[in-house]
Every structure is written in C-alpha cells, then in structure tokens.
C-alpha cells in the first residue's frame, strides 16, 4: 500500500520534539476549556460577540488554533528538512 522510503529522515528527532511541544501547548489551551466547564459552566453561556457565547467562540478558537499550529509545524519541519538535507546530501548524486 505505502512504500517505505530508503532515505533516512534526518529531521525526525526535531519533528518529534516540536510535535510534542505543540501537543502540550494545545492540551493546555484545551485544558482551559475543560476547567471553565467544570468550575463555572454558566460562564460558557455568556455572549462574547455577535450573539455567540463563550463555548462556541472557544470551540471555534480551538479548531483555528489547531490549524495554525499545524501550519507552523509544517513550515518548521520543511525548513529543518531542507537545512539537514543540504548538510547531509542523499547518496547517489541527487
């Protein structure tokens, strides 16, 4: 189904480290959502803007935040891969 590349991923350690940091960051922001719901669930009913309550705004914010983190992760990984591939060129001349 999927073929394994024979080329080593020189940036794999970097990718894992950045991924773990971003997951922790996202988990902390999501934890804030959970804490509000546990401690003061009525706060989620408060209208923030345009008739949208805090629950909807926070939920949409979490989705948008996840997408932004994914774009940042992709950008950082591509940059690191390019840097490491130039430092450790592939065997075979390409």
């Amino acid at each position: 189904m999927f073929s394994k590349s024979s080329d080593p991923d020189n940036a794999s350690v970097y990718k894992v480290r950045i991924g773990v940091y971003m997951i922790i960051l996202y988990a902390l922001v999501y934890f804030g959502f959970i804490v509000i719901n546990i401690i003061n669930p009525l706060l989620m009913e408060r209208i923030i803007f345009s008739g949208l309550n805090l629950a909807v705004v926070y939920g949409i914010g979490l989705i948008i935040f996840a997408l932004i983190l994914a774009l940042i992760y992709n950008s950082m990984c591509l940059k690191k891969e390019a840097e490491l591939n130039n430092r450790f060129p592939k065997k075979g001349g390409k």
Side-chain angles (χ1 to χ4, degrees):
M1 182 185 262
F2 295 102
S3 64
K4 274 187 111 176
S5 174
S6 62
D7 299 329
D9 185 3
N10 297 323
S12 63
V13 173
Y14 177 81
K15 290 177 184 179
V16 169
R17 186 174 55 243
I18 294 300
V20 168
Y21 290 148
M22 287 186 168
I23 284 291
I24 291 169
L25 176 62
Y26 186 82
L28 290 172
V29 175
Y30 185 75
F31 182 70
F33 182 79
I34 300 301
V35 167
I36 292 171
N37 278 295
I38 291 172
I39 293 176
N40 190 1
L42 294 177
L43 184 61
M44 287 295 188
E45 295 179 12
R46 185 171 293 161
I47 302 300
I48 302 298
F49 68 91
S50 297
L52 299 174
N53 62 22
L54 179 60
V56 172
V57 172
Y58 206 133
I60 292 171
L62 282 169
I63 294 169
I64 292 170
F65 184 54
L67 291 172
I68 290 169
L69 284 177
L71 292 171
I72 292 170
Y73 174 82
N74 186 53
S75 174
M76 292 174 74
C77 288
L78 287 175
K79 188 181 297 184
K80 189 59 130 178
E81 285 175 350
E83 173 189 322
L84 292 176
N85 286 340
N86 287 337
R87 189 179 307 161
F88 306 109
K90 295 180 185 176
K91 293 180 181 177
K94 284 192 171 185

